[in-house]
Amino acid sequence: MSRAGSTRLVVGGNRLASIIALCCAATVAGQISPALAASSVVVGTGQDHCYNYRSEIPCPRRGEPYYGQDVQHSGKPAQYRDPGDGTIIDLMTNLTWSRAVDSRKLTPEEAQQQAQQLRIGGFSDWRVPTIKELYSLIDFRGYTGFEIDNVEMKRVPANAIPFLNTDYFNFRYGNIRAGERYIDAQWLSSTPYVSTTMRGDKTIFGVNFADGRLKGYGYLPPGKKAEAKRFYVRFVRGAPYGLNQFQDNGDGTITDHSSGLMWSQQDSGKGMKWADALQYAANSQLAGFRDWRLPSAKELQYIVDYTRSPETSNSAAIDPIFHSTPIRNEAGKRDFAYYWSSTTHLDGPQPGRAAVYVAFGRAMGQMKGKFMDVHGAGAQRSDPKEGEARIQGPQGDVQRILNMVRLVRGGEKVVPEMLPVRDGKGYPEVRRILEEEGDDLPSETLVPPRPVAPVEGKAAAGKAAAQHHKNPAPRSEADAAVNNKNPPLRSEAEGAAPSPPRVEPEGRPPAPRSEMNSRPPPPPRAEGQMRSSPPPRAEGQMRPPPPPRVEGDSPPPPRGESESRPASPER
């Protein structure tokens, strides 16, 4: 299993010294260091609307509330090409992906074995992606979906949209017929968590393209002979992606030469709500620059160092060239904060109410009354933009609401002409979902004999097929040229849910919109209709935690019983 790393250059303010140090660091014994051999593009999240704390809004101007969101500043939009041979080429990262997805989930060990056998597109160098490579595919135009009578998630909501561009990548929700929830659609990475989650579970990171989250999944409990957790797998080939090249500029800023982005060396030092975080970034003049902003979800995840954790390195999951303010978490342990991104997370009955954060410390939760690391340092989840700290979902995710900020500048400012046009003919208006059982992997996947020219005699035909199998036919020059480059909220149905996307079954031509939207979205709550009362707190259940305090602060006064609030089911 691979581990993400970084190359660190600590350089003062002298620009000539910076250039010399960079050149020297790039050459090791006459060879180019792999970490400095090629830069990486941090692809945009796909988000193409602005939001306040509860719904979509017109994008604000500088000086107005909620200015500085993802869509106003994020990076280059994703661009893919389908050569028609079972692969998808990412033109931004130069990675080549498998288009298909097998309905049979795999353990991490089985996935590594299958990668060695794959021959998709005639290539034999397939591998399980790192977590940064896998996360580069996430698309935040997705929506988890919501239906008020579907709290057990035993059917796919009509308004659900995968967090993956299904115009190019085949996608499956969880196997409901096998007893799974529809959101059980976790894709595997090769990046292990260097610590453990839950009660000592061996953990590996993955991306859930059904609900738009990145988590560490405990796949092997300690001391038990239970079967390891299984995942969907999408394979990749190409040059490594996401190796940071940090340089200390000596003025309170850090440049990542792999992405071209500049970061603040210090964080905000205290937590704040999302709207305040946007304003804090827009008003900053650090090092004389006035174009600081809140990073997008992908930009923020790109600087995570998955070789570090509070438990194993006594640090945040980021290169120590950065300063991370320590806190005391809900369990009373020394820890590090969640950090806001500028990306809205469309989830639950009020899409737009939550924003994405990345946990650079433990991703805390409450299980059976005990606070613990449930998803690992480096996880990406989301918090409501307004409200109070509380516990949420079956893993008891700790929602802090007041999260810290690390500033970024650089990249490309988005103008309307750069955004994909929604024409109703493709993702996200049309979702293409594989619903039937069976193997979606192309027939040429596992070392197949390809069709060959007719040869007289059975023996000659067998010999020709074997020779073709040993030396597969080359792809077109155009394909080779591209590939050879270095290489939830509470169940409060407030407001109407977005109109459902069309579902286009694989292998069939698109049907008229009216034929696809057979299940209408849940009706909005009638005016004056009372909300259902929350369930009473079970005996022994702990009340939601107060916000974590910055280490060194005096402890907050105890909360009264009237302030407690029970957790609601996970959206």
Side-chain angles (χ1 to χ4, degrees), residues 68 166 169 194 218 245 259 277 280 294 343 356 400 454 464 473 499 510 514 540:
T166 57
F169 298 98
V194 292
Q245 304 161 27
S259 65
Y280 171 88
L294 208 57
T343 306
V356 169
R400 293 174 178 163
S499 59
S514 60

Side-chain angles (χ1 to χ4, degrees), residues 99-175:
R99 176 186 177 92
V101 56
D102 196 334
S103 63
R104 298 166 298 183
K105 294 182 177 181
L106 304 175
T107 66
E109 183 178 359
E110 291 170 343
Q112 296 290 351
Q113 293 172 352
Q114 182 159 327
Q116 295 175 8
Q117 301 175 31
L118 290 178
R119 297 296 183 270
I120 301 175
F123 299 107
S124 59
D125 56 347
W126 294 98
R127 54 185 167 82
V128 178
T130 67
I131 192 59
K132 289 188 179 181
E133 290 169 338
L134 186 61
Y135 194 72
S136 72
L137 297 180
I138 199 167
D139 194 310
F140 280 97
R141 288 174 291 178
Y143 172 41
T144 308
F146 177 78
E147 290 174 339
I148 199 167
D149 60 343
N150 188 27
V151 293
E152 295 184 354
M153 303 183 184
K154 293 304 181 182
R155 68 172 182 268
V156 179
N159 54 10
I161 304 171
F163 289 77
L164 183 73
N165 191 329
T166 57
D167 289 349
Y168 293 93
F169 298 98
N170 290 356
F171 174 83
R172 293 181 187 276
Y173 282 107
N175 190 340

Side-chain angles (χ1 to χ4, degrees), residues 455-498:
V455 181
E456 296 182 3
K458 294 183 179 180
K463 182 177 180 180
Q467 180 66 23
H468 183 86
H469 194 37
K470 182 177 180 181
N471 300 303
R475 309 172 73 189
S476 68
E477 293 183 5
D479 293 345
V482 174
N483 283 282
N484 287 338
K485 290 181 179 179
N486 285 331
L489 307 171
R490 299 177 184 276
S491 299
E492 300 170 353
E494 298 177 6

Side-chain angles (χ1 to χ4, degrees), residues 31-314:
Q31 296 181 349
I32 298 297
S33 169
L36 297 179
S39 61
S40 299
V41 174
V42 181
V43 184
T45 66
Q47 195 150 96
D48 54 2
H49 291 89
C50 289
Y51 302 86
N52 59 15
Y53 69 96
R54 62 183 298 168
S55 61
E56 181 184 327
I57 60 171
C59 285
R61 298 179 179 179
R62 178 176 286 275
E64 295 179 342
Y66 298 104
Y67 171 78
Q69 299 187 40
D70 184 325
V71 66
Q72 297 178 297
H73 291 282
S74 65
K76 295 181 178 180
Q79 295 183 39
Y80 302 112
R81 187 165 72 85
D82 184 354
D85 60 357
T87 70
I88 299 296
I89 301 168
D90 186 330
L91 301 176
M92 294 291 100
T93 64
N94 291 326
L95 294 172
T96 300
W97 295 89
S98 58
R99 176 186 177 92
V101 56
D102 196 334
S103 63
R104 298 166 298 183
K105 294 182 177 181
L106 304 175
T107 66
E109 183 178 359
E110 291 170 343
Q112 296 290 351
Q113 293 172 352
Q114 182 159 327
Q116 295 175 8
Q117 301 175 31
L118 290 178
R119 297 296 183 270
I120 301 175
F123 299 107
S124 59
D125 56 347
W126 294 98
R127 54 185 167 82
V128 178
T130 67
I131 192 59
K132 289 188 179 181
E133 290 169 338
L134 186 61
Y135 194 72
S136 72
L137 297 180
I138 199 167
D139 194 310
F140 280 97
R141 288 174 291 178
Y143 172 41
T144 308
F146 177 78
E147 290 174 339
I148 199 167
D149 60 343
N150 188 27
V151 293
E152 295 184 354
M153 303 183 184
K154 293 304 181 182
R155 68 172 182 268
V156 179
N159 54 10
I161 304 171
F163 289 77
L164 183 73
N165 191 329
T166 57
D167 289 349
Y168 293 93
F169 298 98
N170 290 356
F171 174 83
R172 293 181 187 276
Y173 282 107
N175 190 340
I176 295 173
R177 279 182 264 182
E180 296 181 340
R181 303 168 302 170
Y182 79 88
I183 63 168
D184 289 327
Q186 300 93 356
W187 260 258
L188 178 70
S189 86
S190 61
T191 305
Y193 184 32
V194 292
S195 184
T196 60
T197 58
M198 302 298 180
R199 292 175 171 82
D201 291 8
K202 194 172 182 179
T203 299
I204 197 164
F205 285 100
V207 176
N208 190 324
F209 289 102
D211 69 5
R213 292 174 171 89
L214 181 166
K215 295 178 180 178
Y217 296 99
Y219 70 94
L220 201 60
K224 296 182 180 179
K225 295 183 179 179
E227 186 177 357
K229 178 179 174 62
R230 295 175 177 272
F231 302 81
Y232 290 130
V233 186
R234 173 155 278 118
F235 299 94
V236 72
R237 60 178 300 274
Y241 170 86
L243 300 177
N244 302 106
Q245 304 161 27
F246 294 124
Q247 174 181 313
D248 185 344
N249 299 317
D251 58 358
T253 68
I254 303 293
T255 296
D256 184 352
H257 289 282
S258 73
S259 65
L261 297 175
M262 179 182 288
W263 295 85
S264 61
Q265 190 167 29
Q266 302 281 338
D267 57 30
S268 57
K270 64 177 182 179
M272 59 191 77
K273 294 182 178 180
W274 189 66
D276 296 330
L278 289 168
Q279 185 177 19
Y280 171 88
N283 291 341
S284 177
Q285 298 184 25
L286 174 65
F289 298 106
R290 299 188 178 185
D291 56 349
W292 293 103
R293 56 186 174 84
L294 208 57
S296 73
K298 288 188 179 181
E299 290 171 335
L300 189 57
Q301 188 268 345
Y302 187 82
I303 63 170
V304 174
D305 186 340
Y306 286 96
T307 68
R308 298 178 180 274
S309 77
E311 200 70 35
T312 58
S313 59
N314 196 32

Side-chain angles (χ1 to χ4, degrees), residues 54 148 491-496 522-532:
R54 62 183 298 168
I148 199 167
S491 299
E492 300 170 353
E494 298 177 6
R525 194 177 70 243
E527 185 176 359
Q529 180 180 343
M530 297 287 290
R531 300 176 188 168
S532 58

